[in-house]
């Protein structure tokens, strides 16, 4: 994470989407799907929603979904995918540099899937705001990489934190919360280039007590 200005961070992600990245798969993230399937439908907030893979799927399941991302290109594509899926009325996509502004409201499910950036991102601050945005009885789901994907930008040696360290690094006040899941399971994944791989994710799932 650098000392980049908000403009540079926005420009970085605009360029990433405009210069060829097309993360739309039409499928939700498998971990999000697994958790959401056990919940009653309600309101959800997707932080760093990208082109809406998970948000559009949730809306198709009956959720009312707010998606936030720094990239207007990603958001336009997400809105287009929602329209194609016939769920525009159950989705709202808004531009936020989450280090600077955060969507208003309380949500039954707030999730951040790989909300990571090589540019400046006040991640712990954003995730604390994410916790504040969880309604009574609601779920906060945070998923990060715990292995280097074979198709990642950089193939580098990274020492990933243990799940408890990852949770501690956010600095949440966990009074009034239950831990539904904290771990780093492996799963099989097919990459954008069609390659199959075993990957590992840190999953933090916290439930606000009713
Ligand atoms: C690694 S991608 C993950 C996208 C998606 N959540 C997924 O699981 O595929 C990170 C996303 O966060 C967005 N992002 C990066 N920095 C951000 C910031 N400061 N505020 C809001 N979104 C940001 C990027 O535009 C990108 O869509």
């Amino acid at each position: 994470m650098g000392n980049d200005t908000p403009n540079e961070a926005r420009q970085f992600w605009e360029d990433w989407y405009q210069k060829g990245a097309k993360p739309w798969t039409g499928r939700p993230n498998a971990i999000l799907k697994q958790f959401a399937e056990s919940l009653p439908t309600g309101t959800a907030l997707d932080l760093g929603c990208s082109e809406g893979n998970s948000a559009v799927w949730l809306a198709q399941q009956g959720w009312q979904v707010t998606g936030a991302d720094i990239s207007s290109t990603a958001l336009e594509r997400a809105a287009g995918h929602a329209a194609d899926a016939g769920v525009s009325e159950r989705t709202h996509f808004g531009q936020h540099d989450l280090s600077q502004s955060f969507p208003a409201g309380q949500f039954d499910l707030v999730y951040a899937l790989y909300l990571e950036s090589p540019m400046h991102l006040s991640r712990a601050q954003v995730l604390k705001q994410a916790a504040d945005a969880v309604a009574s009885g609601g779920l906060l789901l945070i998923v990060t990489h715990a292995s280097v994907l074979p198709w990642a930008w950089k193939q580098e040696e990274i020492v990933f934190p243990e799940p408890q360290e990852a949770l501690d690094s956010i600095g949440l006040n966990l009074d009034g919360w239950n831990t539904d899941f904290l771990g780093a399971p492996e799963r099989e994944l097919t990459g954008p280039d069609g390659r199959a791989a075993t990957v590992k994710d840190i999953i933090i799932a916290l439930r606000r007590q009713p």
Side-chain angles (χ1 to χ4, degrees):
M1 245 192 290
N3 295 317
D4 328 275
T5 65
N7 272 345
E8 286 167 337
R10 194 170 55 244
Q11 195 58 51
F12 171 87
W13 285 101
E14 271 313 309
D15 288 348
W16 190 71
Y17 282 102
Q18 286 184 11
K19 290 184 181 162
K22 293 214 183 323
W24 174 251
T25 61
R27 292 189 311 276
N29 172 272
I31 298 166
L32 179 274
K33 180 171 185 274
Q34 187 189 332
F35 277 89
E37 278 177 341
S38 65
L39 300 174
T41 55
T43 54
L45 173 61
D46 184 332
L47 298 170
C49 64
S50 182
E51 293 191 17
N53 284 316
S54 295
V56 169
W57 176 82
L58 269 181
Q60 287 174 310
Q61 312 312 303
W63 290 75
Q64 191 72 41
V65 189
T66 298
D69 203 284
I70 196 170
S71 163
S72 56
T73 302
L75 292 163
E76 278 161 25
R77 292 182 191 166
H81 295 310
D84 291 345
V87 292
S88 292
E89 285 174 11
R90 284 204 290 279
T91 54
H92 169 75
F93 294 102
Q95 189 172 19
H96 291 267
D97 176 346
L98 291 165
S99 298
Q100 307 287 324
S101 70
F102 197 91
Q106 295 271 290
F107 304 85
D108 302 307
L109 170 63
V110 178
Y111 61 98
L113 307 173
Y114 316 105
L115 181 62
E116 293 156 14
S117 178
M119 306 301 280
H120 173 74
L121 172 64
S122 308
R123 194 166 173 277
Q125 171 203 306
V126 172
L127 294 176
K128 280 187 197 142
Q129 288 176 286
D132 290 343
V134 175
S136 173
L139 189 75
L140 174 64
L141 178 66
I142 301 166
V143 180
T144 52
H145 295 296
S147 65
V148 178
L149 302 177
W151 49 86
W153 293 336
K154 283 194 207 162
Q155 292 300 311
E156 53 188 350
E157 288 285 318
I158 299 177
V159 179
F160 290 95
E162 292 299 316
Q164 185 65 51
E165 290 172 327
L167 174 57
D168 292 345
S169 72
I170 304 169
L172 292 174
N173 175 358
L174 293 176
D175 290 349
W177 291 82
N178 295 333
T179 304
D180 274 13
F181 187 86
L182 178 63
E186 289 186 340
R187 65 186 173 113
E188 302 303 315
L189 191 63
T190 304
D193 56 3
R195 246 187 301 174
T198 302
V199 302
K200 215 170 155 185
D201 300 284
I202 294 174
I203 302 175
I204 298 171
L206 304 172
R207 187 176 296 276
R208 185 188 283 285
Q209 291 165 4

